Amino acid sequence: MKKISKAVFPVGGMGTRFLPATKSIPKELLPIIDKPLIQYAVEEAIDAGIETLIFITSASKHAISDHFDPMPDLRAKFVAENKHHLVEKLDTLPLEIQRVFIPQGQPLGLGHAVLQAKPLIEENEMFAVILADDFIQANNNPLRRLLTLAEQQGAATISVEAVEPERISSYGVIAPDAWHDDYAQVNAIIEKPAVVDAPSEYGVIGRYVLPYSVFAALNQVTMDQNNEIQLTDALKVLIDQSGLQAVKLLGQRFDCGSQDGFVMANLHVAMQDETLLRKIKDYLSKWE
Ligand code: G1P
């Protein structure tokens, strides 16, 4: 099998939970302190060995392309002024990494977004899908674990995490077979079930490694009641065809598609900096 070297970033969502900020700024550019969510996601992909980034965009998302563009004039100014810490911050993408932008055209869901990448994937190739608003802090690169397992087994592989019952209806939820260390075969998957219908506590989080056959599966599934093509429905087809495996995430994840997750992610990163930690503690002490 070909080495997995491409990652798809669906970034066409409307970000309605962050309006009015997302009127002109894609939600993937919202920063955790000073670095946008999409850059964290891209760094995770590159660190895991990904060489081609495929962004599935919608109109008004040019800012994501701009973010990864070189700024030679400003860079030269910082170099001349010996401001190397600023030069580092400007270098948002290594030059050897290829990036491609594909317009989604219509907002028809995550499955539809992934389908747009088909012309760029070869038939014997697996590829990663990364949802940048699932912000992950981990000692070991979570995508790399997925890629290793997918390459070993040659099967679709997804990341899951135990989710509290009150949130389970916001996730795709799996019915796992027996766990072997951190992974299990998936027997069934349901998109956003009511808590009583959830087959386990394990919700799918935004890291997937998929085979080319997912495109045929996506073409085969019908739209849901919201006129969206769900990636989960295509994963159901893969379970029957070639299998699906799930890996438990080792690390901390923040759902930055929600306001509380976004605020907590900012706090989490801020509190890793001694000065900011001191200031936050000092500020919070006034609330007791
Ligand atoms: C999507 C998927 C869902 C998954 C989630 C992870 O939902 O449809 O299966 O659990 O991402 O973030 P969304 O958050 O786009 O509604």
Side-chain angles (χ1 to χ4, degrees), residues 28-281:
E28 295 78 11
L29 277 185
L30 294 175
I32 304 299
I33 311 294
D34 55 3
K35 194 194 283 191
L37 285 165
I38 190 68
Q39 197 183 332
Y40 280 101
V42 160
E43 286 176 4
E44 178 185 328
I46 294 172
D47 179 66
I50 297 295
E51 293 161 359
T52 301
L53 315 174
I54 302 168
F55 298 93
I56 311 298
T57 67
S58 63
S60 84
K61 294 266 177 154
H62 308 291
I64 292 181
S65 169
D66 293 347
H67 175 76
F68 289 110
D69 271 348
M71 294 185 91
D73 294 347
L74 190 55
R75 193 178 194 283
K77 175 176 144 58
F78 288 155
V79 169
E81 291 168 354
N82 248 333
K83 293 180 176 160
H84 294 289
H85 62 293
L86 293 180
V87 172
E88 262 173 42
K89 292 202 175 199
L90 276 188
D91 290 342
T92 45
L93 195 68
L95 291 173
E96 67 275 16
I97 299 294
Q98 214 197 349
R99 63 197 153 117
V100 184
F101 291 84
I102 302 182
Q104 188 174 350
Q106 291 165 284
L108 299 179
L110 177 59
H112 180 258
V114 171
L115 195 50
Q116 307 314 304
K118 184 178 174 201
L120 293 168
I121 308 292
E122 290 170 33
E123 285 188 23
N124 61 347
E125 202 177 17
M126 296 184 94
F127 62 99
V129 174
I130 301 186
L131 308 185
D133 55 11
D134 273 326
F135 174 73
I136 297 173
Q137 292 269 284
N139 290 333
N140 297 315
N141 184 318
L143 182 65
R144 192 178 309 128
R145 174 73 189 111
L146 248 61
L147 294 178
T148 307
L149 199 65
E151 279 173 351
Q152 273 168 7
Q153 314 282 335
T157 306
I158 59 177
S159 192
V160 296
E161 182 185 62
V163 173
E164 314 91 76
E166 60 271 24
R167 296 220 172 192
I168 202 89
S169 63
S170 302
Y171 293 85
V173 182
I174 61 160
D177 208 309
W179 290 100
H180 308 277
D181 297 327
D182 64 341
Y183 75 95
Q185 294 302 316
V186 176
N187 291 328
I189 185 165
I190 309 180
E191 180 69 5
K192 303 193 171 83
V195 67
V196 287
D197 299 325
S200 77
E201 58 176 340
Y202 290 102
V204 179
I205 58 170
R207 304 290 183 275
Y208 309 75
V209 179
L210 302 171
Y212 183 82
S213 57
V214 75
F215 297 124
L218 283 166
N219 274 323
Q220 170 184 333
V221 301
T222 46
M223 286 199 177
D224 69 3
Q225 68 281 9
N226 300 321
N227 253 358
E228 294 194 347
I229 297 177
Q230 291 300 339
L231 183 56
T232 298
D233 289 334
L235 297 179
K236 283 182 193 165
V237 177
L238 294 186
I239 290 175
D240 294 336
Q241 280 179 353
S242 47
L244 175 67
Q245 48 195 359
V247 181
K248 283 187 208 170
L249 175 75
L250 262 186
Q252 203 161 353
R253 182 194 65 105
F254 299 88
D255 171 13
C256 288
S258 72
Q259 294 193 352
D260 60 325
F262 179 69
V263 172
M264 295 305 164
N266 269 285
L267 266 182
H268 181 85
V269 173
M271 289 166 89
Q272 290 167 27
D273 177 281
E274 264 181 44
T275 312
L276 288 176
L277 175 62
R278 195 164 28 79
K279 291 186 177 182
I280 291 166
K281 280 186 171 169

